[in-house]
Amino acid sequence: MKKKWLSILMVPALTLGLAACGSGETSNDKDSGNSAASIGESVDYKIIGIDPGAGIMKATANVLEDYELDEWTLVEGSGAAMTASLKKAYDKEEPVIVTGWSPHWKFSKMDLKYLEDPKGTYGDAENIHSIARNGLSTDHPSAYKVLDQFNWPEEDMNDVMVQITDGEDPEKAARSWVDENTDKVAAWTEGAEEVDGDKITIGYVAWDTEIASTNVIAQVLTDLGYDVTLRQVEAGPMWAGVAEGSLDAHIAGWLPLTHADYYSKFEGQFEDLGANLEGTKIGLVVPSYMDIDSIEDLKE
Ligand code: PBE
């Protein structure tokens, strides 16, 4: 089936007088060079980004430089605005390019692909780390123990994310996951004593991955007797908050590369409790129906 957007792409190609080179074949011929030009025009040379503090924004700025994509703009927004733009384009089979990451529910709801990154600017697979403020182990040993023992595979996080995407309230989605996975939760709380209403504040950024994980940890700590406050902040203030002690912890450290700047800026002022999820990825994500495979295809 010929995709709708392919015919849309022919219009700019025609106006540029390039159609003669490839005519009907243009969109399917990756070597012609014409399809790359058309891709840029078809999305107005825009990559839909997220919040400016996200590590993926800095990485994507580096990508634009490394691949010499001078005519391209990285549009700032939010995680929610990015998925809304993606979904809107996807439903109409229109071209769209977003900054994306895994795990993420978008891959279970849409047929998407990462653009290859032959220069490796986005780095290899990473892990998500739990980060505690200095002194947490003595002030709140039970919470510290839970955060230290917390780890889950991508599929579990995805279960929670998908529930939230389907309209469930994040707190309720986390609650039902915790209730249904008591053995996994028991491993995280092993050896952690119950407390009596001790206050603890966890920071997070409104990325879908972190909304899911942070709400789950909040439920687990609440069950242990903590009075948990979740504070939604930007990425910079999240790292700074733990370093300064206004936040007790966050479980959203994408390392070693995505949050490398924050990590080195505050090194010594937090405790890295290690990975809570292994094998994450960041990159440029497009619908599978788009006729490009590599970031290099964006270059004219
Ligand atoms: N993310 C999701 C974040 C980390 C979590 C990839 C959007 C970032 O880029 O900083």
Side-chain angles (χ1 to χ4, degrees), residues 131-269:
I131 306 291
R133 72 167 166 84
N134 286 339
L136 190 73
S137 61
T138 38
D139 296 345
H140 295 296
S142 288
Y144 178 90
K145 198 166 206 93
V146 172
L147 293 166
D148 197 23
Q149 292 177 158
F150 166 55
N151 75 85
W152 59 349
E154 163 160 5
E155 306 80 71
D156 287 338
M157 183 194 252
N158 213 40
D159 279 357
V160 182
M161 260 192 293
V162 168
Q163 277 191 59
I164 298 170
T165 308
D166 288 343
E168 185 61 286
D169 171 69
E171 195 178 323
K172 289 199 185 123
R175 185 70 248 162
S176 62
W177 190 90
V178 167
D179 289 342
E180 283 159 22
N181 291 275
T182 45
D183 45 338
K184 287 178 183 172
V185 172
W188 307 342
T189 56
E190 199 184 333
E193 280 168 30
E194 294 199 0
V195 299
D196 188 17
D198 295 9
K199 287 189 193 309
I200 190 146
T201 305
I202 314 279
Y204 73 105
V205 183
W207 300 314
D208 292 314
T209 26
E210 278 56 36
I211 292 171
S213 59
T214 309
N215 272 280
V216 163
I217 275 299
Q219 291 302 316
V220 173
L221 291 174
T222 302
D223 289 350
L224 259 190
Y226 281 98
D227 176 1
V228 183
T229 303
L230 294 190
R231 190 165 299 152
Q232 190 195 312
V233 290
E234 295 294 319
M238 177 178 77
W239 280 91
V242 170
E244 290 153 8
S246 59
L247 298 173
D248 288 304
H250 72 73
I251 52 171
W254 283 52
L255 296 163
L257 197 65
T258 305
H259 290 169
D261 286 358
Y262 295 127
Y263 197 93
S264 55
K265 182 170 178 193
F266 298 111
E267 194 149 21
Q269 301 176 66

Side-chain angles (χ1 to χ4, degrees), residues 61-141:
N62 293 338
V63 161
L64 296 188
E65 211 176 297
D66 291 356
Y67 289 84
E68 296 172 10
L69 300 172
D70 310 331
E71 60 281 87
W72 287 79
T73 314
L74 174 59
V75 182
E76 288 179 2
S78 68
M82 178 278 286
T83 50
S85 301
L86 175 62
K87 186 78 181 34
K88 197 170 155 217
Y90 188 85
D91 288 343
K92 292 192 260 175
E93 273 193 42
E94 285 175 0
V96 65
I97 305 178
V98 304
T99 57
W101 63 95
S102 324
H104 199 277
W105 61 263
K106 60 186 174 284
F107 294 100
S108 27
K109 297 285 182 184
M110 292 173 261
D111 192 1
L112 306 172
K113 61 185 176 187
Y114 278 98
L115 294 184
E116 286 155 26
D117 172 23
K119 294 185 196 287
T121 308
Y122 281 118
D124 294 327
E126 296 193 282
N127 301 325
I128 309 179
H129 288 223
S130 303
I131 306 291
R133 72 167 166 84
N134 286 339
L136 190 73
S137 61
T138 38
D139 296 345
H140 295 296

